[in-house]
Amino acid sequence: MRFLAKIGLSLTALLLAGVAARAETITVATVNNDDMIIMQKLSSEWEKATGNKVNWVVLEENVLRQRVTTDIATKAGQFDIVTIGAYETPIWGKAGWLASLNDLGDDYDYKDVFEPLRNGLSVDGKLYALPFYAESSFTLYRKDLFEKAGLTMPEQPTWDQIAQFADKLTDKSKEQYGICLRGKPGWGENMGLITTIVNTFGGRWFDMEWKPQLTSDPWKKAIGFYVDLLKRDGPPGATSNGFNENQALFASGKCAIWVDATSAAGRLYNKATSKVGDVLAFAQPPVNVSPKGNGWFWAWSLAVPSSTKNLDTAKSFVKWATSKEYVKRVGETAGWVAAPPGTRQSTYDNPEYKKAAPFAGMVLKAILTADPTNATKEPVPYKGIQFVAIPEFQAIGTSVGQAIASILAGQQTEDAALGAAQDEVTQTMQQAGYIQ
């Protein structure tokens, strides 16, 4: 009997080992940014090492957010790994929609990940996402065009100065536009930039009683300035241009100035993917009456939905894709200038990265000094620089983004669009119980 029992235990162990060794296919939902495309190319190395496979769902930013939010909220389990950011992670982690990622092992080196990122992606000490790359925002410009026009970009420009420079550098007959800015509607597209403009004009989304402020003077001045500037000096069809579209315009030499994500620096400095690598220069993001909230804070991160049926395999991929070793592989295969920025101290200690990316120090400072708890001139009841850290903001931000895009497209007046947005947001906040 003991012999038979031993045979039974041995067979069980073999069967369990077979199950554990069986290859799994995980589905990863991610955004169509350059860094994620590199991850997709390198994922064959993880597949070869583990025997598992990756099914990629690569989507435009707004579509990604819609698909992922629906899947997570309904626990449909379509995705094993999702690409989300500093907005969704704490909210979804607290709701129990994400698996904790604190158990990837000592060899992952959590302490190497910058503390503000770890804190921003945690709830009650538990990490619910790990940063793939992090960013703030800054002003990119073409120093050759500035020198030719006899202009000097200050280290800390104002929005009025940016407008003056853009006016002088616009030559639409040559398809040379003084400025490119996000116009595509979406809480993470045009509103990511617009909220920082509103911050510097002294505005805020809500007062201390959660009453919307969309018809306040700072909002009206900020939106009026933004719309007028893009109409005068921006490219045609600006309402179709988000991050990727403006990056392509700038890389092809059609923008004199672009205010956007610091993560663009590596791609634009890379002469293999950019025509302006030799003439690229950087300054701080513009300010107006207030310096607060002029540069945003974001981390595109990988998270594992609690609905996944492939938990261990999904965690294995997240560990690989956000590790020090992965950063090194990008440097070795795509060039160090393309290494994922803003996440790990070891990247910024690496002499090869510092040599390839002379902008690294400025980018890191912008990320680490961005303060989501002190981003507005007047006091507010929320955290966030380019977003409001409440569940309702995803819908609110996208709706307001559409209203502002309608102003830019000439479909509505500023007063009409902001007035309607004010009413809609007020109703949403009432229904959610923030205000009576």
Side-chain angles (χ1 to χ4, degrees):
M1 291 295 291
R2 288 181 181 177
F3 177 71
L4 291 173
K6 285 182 178 180
I7 291 176
L9 287 171
S10 298
L11 287 172
T12 301
L14 285 170
L15 286 170
L16 288 173
V19 170
R22 188 181 302 150
E24 294 180 333
T25 297
I26 56 171
T27 299
V28 179
T30 195
V31 67
N32 62 340
N33 289 351
D34 292 341
D35 291 275
M36 277 57 178
I37 292 171
I38 293 173
M39 176 173 62
Q40 188 177 358
K41 290 178 180 177
L42 287 177
S43 64
S44 61
E45 297 183 8
W46 177 83
E47 291 178 326
K48 184 177 180 180
T50 65
N52 299 304
K53 298 294 181 183
V54 182
N55 174 40
W56 290 94
V57 179
V58 183
L59 302 166
E60 184 270 331
E61 190 168 322
N62 286 336
V63 177
L64 172 80
R65 287 179 163 130
Q66 292 169 359
R67 289 272 302 273
V68 166
T69 300
T70 300
D71 186 74
I72 288 282
T74 60
K75 299 183 179 179
Q78 182 182 356
F79 306 121
D80 299 292
I81 295 172
V82 293
T83 306
I84 58 177
Y87 165 69
E88 301 98 335
T89 301
I91 296 172
W92 294 1
K94 187 175 182 179
W97 295 350
L98 303 174
S100 171
L101 297 175
N102 286 68
D103 57 350
L104 300 187
D106 293 338
D107 59 329
Y108 181 75
D109 197 354
Y110 286 95
K111 290 185 178 180
D112 188 51
V113 179
F114 290 116
E115 185 176 7
L117 298 182
R118 284 185 276 130
N119 292 341
L121 298 172
S122 296
V123 179
D124 298 329
K126 289 186 176 182
L127 275 161
Y128 287 99
L130 288 167
F132 184 72
Y133 73 81
E135 65 185 30
S136 184
S137 54
F138 63 173
T139 303
L140 304 98
Y141 67 98
R142 289 198 28 203
K143 58 186 178 184
D144 59 328
L145 296 180
F146 270 71
E147 290 171 0
K148 185 177 179 180
L151 302 173
T152 301
M153 175 72 79
E155 182 179 346
Q156 177 57 81
T158 66
W159 274 111
D160 285 341
Q161 288 173 322
I162 292 294
Q164 292 167 12
F165 296 149
D167 286 346
K168 292 178 180 178
L169 295 173
T170 296
D171 187 345
K172 293 183 179 180
S173 67
K174 297 179 180 178
E175 290 188 304
Q176 177 181 305
Y177 305 103
I179 194 160
C180 291
L181 298 173
R182 298 188 187 194
K184 180 187 291 185
W187 73 266
E189 279 283 11
N190 64 343
M191 294 314 300
L193 171 73
I194 289 169
T195 301
T196 65
I197 299 175
V198 170
N199 292 340
T200 69
F201 274 68
R204 51 188 174 167
W205 273 93
F206 302 99
D207 67 12
M208 289 299 290
E209 296 178 346
W210 287 105
K211 293 178 181 176
Q213 301 295 296
L214 302 175
T215 54
S216 64
D217 284 344
W219 266 88
K220 288 182 177 180
K221 289 177 181 177
I223 302 308
F225 173 87
Y226 160 84
V227 169
D228 289 345
L229 177 59
L230 267 181
K231 284 185 175 180
R232 282 197 321 270
D233 301 315
T239 56
S240 297
N241 294 340
F243 172 79
N244 282 335
E245 293 80 7
N246 281 319
Q247 181 177 257
L249 285 168
F250 196 93
S252 64
K254 294 186 177 181
C255 305
I257 304 168
W258 181 32
V259 181
D260 212 295
T262 56
S263 59
R267 304 173 198 122
L268 294 173
Y269 194 77
N270 188 345
K271 297 174 183 61
T273 56
S274 170
K275 293 181 179 179
V276 297
D278 288 329
V279 295
L280 186 61
F282 311 96
Q284 297 297 322
V287 298
N288 192 260
V289 299
S290 174
K292 292 184 178 181
N294 65 324
W296 65 60
F297 176 84
W298 186 253
W300 275 120
S301 308
L302 301 181
V304 178
S306 54
S307 56
T308 180
K309 296 178 177 62
N310 303 305
L311 180 62
D312 290 341
T313 304
K315 285 186 175 182
S316 167
F317 184 87
V318 170
K319 179 178 180 178
W320 169 80
T322 62
S323 66
K324 291 189 288 188
E325 292 73 23
Y326 175 85
V327 175
K328 184 179 179 182
R329 285 299 294 149
V330 175
E332 292 170 346
T333 58
W336 276 100
V337 73
T343 61
R344 288 183 168 274
Q345 182 64 55
S346 55
T347 304
Y348 291 81
D349 291 340
N350 189 310
E352 291 181 90
Y353 181 68
K354 288 192 284 189
K355 181 180 178 181
F359 48 81
M362 179 181 180
V363 168
L364 183 60
K365 181 180 178 181
I367 294 169
L368 298 183
T369 57
D371 187 357
T373 67
N374 186 23
T376 56
K377 182 182 178 184
E378 301 296 331
V380 294
Y382 58 84
K383 291 182 180 179
I385 300 175
Q386 79 279 25
F387 58 79
V388 177
I390 58 174
E392 295 77 13
F393 182 75
Q394 185 165 344
I396 287 172
T398 295
S399 177
V400 175
Q402 291 167 345
I404 293 173
S406 74
I407 302 170
L408 184 58
Q411 297 166 346
Q412 288 194 82
T413 66
E414 179 185 312
D415 286 343
L418 290 179
Q422 171 79 8
D423 292 342
E424 183 178 345
V425 176
T426 298
Q427 184 177 9
T428 298
M429 299 302 281
Q430 288 173 336
Q431 291 173 344
Y434 289 87
I435 54 179
Q436 298 299 317

